[in-house]
Amino acid sequence: MDERIKRQMAFALEIDKAKNVFRQTHLSLNGRNENDAEHSWHMAIMAYLLREYANEEIDIVKVMLMCLIHDIVEIDAGDTYAYDAEGLKTQKAREDAAKERIFSILPKEQKAEFTALFDEFDAYETAESKFVHAIDNLQPLILNDSNNGGDWQEHDVTVEQVYKRQGKTKLGSVKLFEITDEIIQDNVRKGNLKE
């Protein structure tokens, strides 16, 4: 094997570790905790299905790839729960270190490509990154809704916290924020989210 494909194969094996990074979100209908690979796959399919609801014209291939790589850094950095105030303080530093180590496995230009894509996601400025964030917010929301708010209840999450996290969803998709709002209000009515 030449050096280039050796590096690509090493990266392919390294990202398999994402299957061992478990999130706080449970699979639908009270399943086990989902892992990062499942979350990213689910997001990529959802992005493709819901692309018509993006606020702006988007490059769907770029969006799907962004979905697939956005949590690779959690192999080293670990999953930071959306409502973990302490963990969020160090998240960027942990993820930046992980990004450097993991993407450095790749050949130089592919490292640059993946790093640029991850940084674009993180910066939250392009139509694609805003839409990916909208999907990243919606995916765990629909799972939590299917579990009668179990993850919110387990962590004493308030409706205010959920709206704060979901507030930027409308930057990527006004329509998906409308759906988000309906789901949140339904869970408040059911007593799954405390006010």
Side-chain angles (χ1 to χ4, degrees), residues 10 28 35 50 65 67 70 77 122-123 142 158 166 168 181-184:
S28 61
N35 66 44
L50 302 172
L65 186 54
C67 288
H70 83 288
D122 218 24
I142 66 170
T158 66
Q166 296 288 340
K168 288 186 174 180
D181 186 47
E182 288 176 27
I183 291 170
I184 293 170

Side-chain angles (χ1 to χ4, degrees), residues 5-6 14 18 91 116 161:
I5 198 162
K6 202 179 285 187
E14 182 67 19
Q91 181 180 16
Q161 288 174 291

Side-chain angles (χ1 to χ4, degrees), residues 39-163:
H39 166 66
S40 298
W41 163 82
H42 199 184
M43 278 181 60
I45 298 292
M46 287 176 64
Y48 186 82
L49 289 173
L50 302 172
R51 67 190 185 277
E52 66 194 85
Y53 305 115
N55 289 345
E56 303 172 64
E57 196 69 32
I58 54 170
D59 175 345
I60 193 59
V61 173
K62 185 179 194 182
V63 164
M64 292 175 75
L65 186 54
M66 206 178 280
C67 288
L68 292 170
I69 72 159
H70 83 288
D71 276 346
I72 286 175
V73 295
E74 292 184 1
I75 290 167
D76 288 358
D79 176 58
T80 304
Y81 185 50
Y83 305 106
D84 175 5
E86 285 306 306
L88 291 170
K89 290 177 185 175
T90 63
Q91 181 180 16
K92 179 156 178 41
R94 287 182 286 116
E95 290 186 352
D96 282 348
K99 173 182 65 175
E100 179 59 29
R101 184 195 73 77
I102 296 166
F103 292 160
S104 289
I105 295 169
L106 288 164
K108 191 175 182 176
E109 82 282 356
Q110 287 184 319
K111 174 194 176 186
E113 177 187 3
F114 276 45
T115 299
L117 201 56
F118 181 88
D119 290 346
E120 180 179 338
F121 167 77
D122 218 24
Y124 213 118
E125 294 171 352
T126 63
E128 287 82 9
S129 66
K130 290 174 188 176
F131 188 65
V132 172
H133 276 281
I135 298 294
D136 196 21
N137 286 343
L138 181 62
Q139 188 269 347
L141 184 90
I142 66 170
L143 292 181
N144 206 8
D145 180 52
S146 82
N147 292 319
N148 298 309
D151 298 322
W152 291 321
Q153 292 175 41
E154 181 181 335
H155 296 282
D156 291 322
V157 176
T158 66
V159 67
E160 181 182 349
Q161 288 174 291
V162 176
Y163 272 121

